[in-house]
Structure formats: structure tokens, C-alpha cells
Amino acid sequence: MLDIYRYGDEVLREPTKDVTKFDDALAMLVEAMFDTMIEADGVGLAGPQVGVGSRLFVVDTRREGERLAFINPDIIETSDDSVPYEEGCLSIPGVYHDVMRPSRIVIRAQDVEGRHFTLEAGGLLARAIQHEYDHLQGKLFIDRLDDAERAKVIAQYEKRSKGRRRHR
Ligand code: NI
């Protein structure tokens, strides 16, 4: 299992670089990211969250055909609408908030073997992809909330993490 970096860790805010080597090390990293994500009960996990400054993320919505690795991704189209959906993040565990985002996207990326693919997605898959894609820009879902909402979510998170530390 990989360590998941938390809100406040600088690595979550740092820029990411393209993946250039599609080798065994990359395949092993991606497998470890899937395992870590499933163990933590998440639907997505991005490189920066495990301390890797590379443009890659994994998504598994637990629906058939939706266990996907995205290497060097680009969201090339987004629908014109903006819809709410409750999001959480393995780097800010235990807090959730509705975030507005387009309901459908088209993404172009490479798989672990370097093959290019294009995918159109809606629903939870589109949501997870956009959330993880933000991580590659050093962006967290709370950055998309207004100031009052963000302050509330951060306060909830800090209260939870303090409580957890006391119990150790
Ligand atoms: Ni996240």
C-alpha cells in the first residue's frame, strides 16, 4: 500500500510532469494505486496524492468497465451544463460537499502501455475523472467551493483530524 498525502501536504499543490517511460515501474505504480484506492474505499486516486509528481490517475467506480488508468490525460471537451454532485477526497478524508461541474466530458489519455485512447463519460465516471484531473493541476475540490463553504468544510476536517489524533 502507498501512503496517501493529506490536505496541508505541499506535494498536493506542486506541478506535475508528463509520464515519458511506459515501463514495469509505471505498471507497478498504477497497480499499487488501484490497490491503495480500493483499500481506502475511494473511486479515484491521482499521482500527487501518493507523492508522485506525474500526470496520471486511476479511477474505479466499481461498475463494469470503469477500472481505468489515465496517463498524460487531457480533458478535450466538457458539456455546457453545470450540475451539483457530492464529492469527497482521500486527501481530505471524512468531509463531503456538493461541487458544480459539467455533467459530461471527453478525455484523451494513454493507458499503462502508452496506447492513446479517447473516452466520453457522464455520471459518476465524469465526476471522478474531473476531480482527479484537478489533482494534476494542484487543485482540490474545496478550491471549487465559495469562501464560506470552503471554510466550513476545512473546519469540519480539522475537527475530525484533531479528534482522531487524540484517540491514538
Ligand atoms: Ni481527491
Side-chain angles (χ1 to χ4, degrees):
M1 293 301 146
L2 304 168
D3 286 332
I4 299 178
Y5 287 80
R6 298 274 178 98
Y7 174 72
D9 287 325
E10 256 328 288
V11 68
L12 294 173
R13 300 303 194 176
E14 285 164 3
T16 52
K17 288 185 184 157
D18 276 341
V19 171
T20 53
K21 275 201 264 176
F22 294 83
D23 55 7
D24 287 351
L26 177 69
M28 283 171 66
L29 169 65
V30 165
E31 280 311 304
M33 286 174 69
F34 274 119
D35 292 345
T36 302
M37 175 185 70
I38 298 294
E39 175 77 18
D41 203 24
V43 296
L45 187 66
Q49 292 182 278
V50 291
V52 175
S54 301
R55 299 208 324 112
L56 82 166
F57 61 80
V58 296
V59 166
D60 185 348
T61 60
R62 318 291 197 274
R63 289 170 201 178
E64 202 180 335
E66 293 187 358
R67 182 187 192 270
L68 296 162
F70 297 85
I71 319 287
N72 302 330
D74 286 301
I75 292 179
I76 55 173
E77 273 180 57
T78 53
S79 55
D80 292 333
D81 59 348
S82 196
V83 294
Y85 200 105
E86 189 177 66
E87 294 188 24
C89 181
L90 294 178
S91 293
I92 323 173
V95 294
Y96 304 89
H97 202 284
D98 272 356
V99 180
M100 300 294 287
R101 295 187 195 266
S103 62
R104 299 196 68 81
I105 57 110
V106 179
I107 186 167
R108 192 179 284 156
Q110 286 167 275
D111 67 15
V112 283
E113 282 160 20
R115 289 178 297 226
H116 291 265
F117 67 95
T118 302
L119 178 77
E120 183 176 354
L124 176 59
L125 182 58
R127 183 57 57 151
I129 287 171
Q130 291 177 85
H131 176 114
E132 299 313 322
Y133 189 74
D134 272 357
H135 275 298
L136 306 185
Q137 304 4 284
K139 200 162 190 168
L140 304 172
F141 81 92
I142 54 172
D143 302 339
R144 293 192 174 274
L145 306 180
D146 69 32
D147 290 350
E149 290 169 339
R150 186 183 316 109
K152 200 179 90 185
V153 171
I154 291 170
Q156 279 171 1
Y157 170 67
E158 282 172 351
K159 200 172 158 196
R160 273 185 58 98
S161 350
K162 262 192 216 109
R164 189 170 308 116
R165 270 202 293 277
R166 264 203 302 278
H167 289 300
R168 267 188 195 150

